[in-house]
Amino acid sequence: MAVNTTLALLLAVPAARRAATACLAAVAVGVGATVIWAPRPEESGSVRVAVVQPGVVEGPGSVERRFTRSEELTRGLAGRDVDLVVWGRAVWASICPGAPGQRTVSRRCRVWWGPMSWSTWTPGARTPRPDGDLQVGGAGGPAGPTGDRYDKMRLVPFGEYVPARALLGWATSVGKAAGEDRLRGSGPVVMDLPDGLRVGPLVCFESAFPDMSRQLARDGSQLLVAQSSTSTFQHSWAPAQHASLGALRAAETGRPMAHATLTGVSAVYGPLGERVGPVLGTGASEAAVYDVPLARGTTLFVRLGAWPVYGALAVLAVFFGALGLRSLRTPAPRRPGRPARTAGGSPGRPGH
């Protein structure tokens, strides 16, 4: 944006050419310094990750059938030397509620081959009401659940809670707004899997928040995992857009990311934001294995955060502050006085 603005000034405003040339030089120096001295992650091995996408399952018993289909796809991965299996965000309340559900998944996982990660709803878990629920991410391995649990921190407004419910609670009567507010997690969690892999989980649209993936990278996560369900938005641009956020988070943090959904789009990205392997499209029912490169080191974003945004806000604050000071120091122009009224006539005109 700075380059485009300065080029426009060079071409259209001759009086500003000197300042525009200086700005271009400053931008060139800044970009060059960033390219030369900015930290970059370095590749450090790889991990085999499987993404399980059960596909579109509708009608009576859809929850049970989706779970069964996920089991079938996961069994088909046996013998492929998979280090981690990632399921999408599932609704298992009627199958394996709460901690027993984690034990069920881990026990089956132990029969299959090794670690896996999942996301589910846990009815009545640490909620203010007994009929409430909480979105949970968990992990398990050959020895059972790892004990790591992540509770979703960023809830969807109106979908998972109603902001200012005392004022906006009427929205529940005219739409599908949340009947009650779900609980938020208290902080990010990095899960240590039995084979030493450190996973940073995100639930659903939390992948849209760069500060969350940045914190997971700072906490030592080697792989970012986002588990979602976008079935409500089938046949629209939303699933593809949601999956593409994984590329941004991977490039920002220098950590690979697996984005797993129930019905698509599911995708995996390397530490530079590059796509790894095939994309599981909308409606596909399959499991895919990816050789995902890992990386060590850090990035400028992980070190400094959203510094371009903060820098731009600082420049705007200085600019408007200078305008304000100038307006205070500049005396207001005098309003022109009214012309004197002549005797027997209108103002400024001789009488008759």
Side-chain angles (χ1 to χ4, degrees):
M1 186 170 61
V3 171
N4 290 339
T5 303
T6 52
L7 288 176
L9 291 174
L10 283 172
L11 295 174
V13 185
R17 285 175 179 171
R18 181 176 298 178
T21 302
C23 183
L24 276 178
V27 170
V29 170
V31 171
T34 301
V35 170
I36 295 173
W37 289 295
R40 299 184 188 86
E42 299 178 357
E43 188 171 330
S44 61
S46 63
V47 62
R48 286 177 67 82
V49 176
V51 173
V52 173
Q53 180 176 297
V56 178
V57 180
E58 299 176 335
S62 59
V63 174
E64 290 81 0
R65 290 188 288 116
R66 182 185 297 121
F67 188 86
T68 300
R69 178 56 179 162
S70 298
E71 284 185 299
E72 295 172 351
L73 293 171
T74 307
R75 288 195 188 97
L77 297 171
R80 300 188 64 179
D81 194 25
V82 175
D83 297 306
L84 175 68
V85 179
V86 183
W87 285 16
R89 174 179 154 201
V91 182
W92 299 343
S94 61
I95 301 175
C96 43
Q102 298 186 15
R103 288 195 292 271
T104 299
V105 175
S106 293
R107 182 167 56 251
R108 292 171 175 176
C109 172
R110 182 168 61 252
V111 172
W112 295 332
W113 66 94
M116 69 180 301
S117 176
W118 64 84
S119 175
T120 183
W121 303 86
T122 301
R126 297 191 303 202
T127 52
R129 300 181 185 178
D131 58 341
D133 52 14
L134 185 71
Q135 297 186 61
V136 174
T146 64
D148 294 324
R149 166 182 170 140
Y150 169 66
D151 300 334
K152 187 178 181 183
M153 297 170 58
R154 303 279 171 87
L155 303 181
V156 179
F158 294 99
E160 295 167 346
Y161 79 101
V162 175
R165 183 176 288 273
L167 296 176
L168 303 177
W170 54 267
T172 59
S173 62
V174 297
K176 296 183 179 181
E180 66 171 359
D181 296 344
R182 301 190 175 101
L183 286 183
R184 303 173 186 268
S186 58
V189 175
V190 175
M191 298 180 177
D192 295 300
L193 298 185
D195 59 356
L197 182 65
R198 308 198 72 198
V199 175
L202 298 168
V203 178
C204 197
F205 93 134
E206 288 183 329
S207 64
F209 297 94
D211 63 303
M212 299 190 70
S213 54
R214 174 177 179 250
Q215 186 59 52
L216 289 171
R218 291 171 65 92
D219 291 343
S221 175
Q222 297 172 286
L223 172 69
L224 302 175
V225 171
Q227 296 159 294
S228 180
S229 171
T230 52
S231 56
T232 306
F233 304 98
Q234 293 296 300
H235 310 297
S236 75
W237 46 263
Q241 184 195 47
H242 194 189
S244 69
L245 294 176
L248 295 177
R249 304 293 85 85
E252 290 168 346
T253 60
R255 298 294 180 266
M257 183 165 189
H259 177 86
T261 68
L262 298 179
T263 57
V265 174
S266 300
V268 177
Y269 302 94
L272 299 179
E274 75 280 15
R275 196 174 68 198
V276 176
V279 170
L280 304 185
T282 301
S285 178
E286 58 182 306
V289 178
Y290 303 84
D291 290 310
V292 184
L294 299 177
R296 62 182 173 213
T298 187
T299 64
L300 203 62
F301 174 74
V302 172
R303 286 190 180 182
L304 304 179
W307 58 270
V309 177
Y310 302 143
L313 291 175
V315 170
L316 286 175
V318 171
F319 174 74
F320 286 115
L323 285 182
L325 289 176
R326 183 181 302 175
S327 64
L328 291 176
R329 293 177 180 177
T330 304
R334 293 185 176 182
R335 299 178 62 182
R338 297 179 60 185
R341 181 181 295 272
T342 57
S346 61
R349 296 182 61 186
H352 297 285

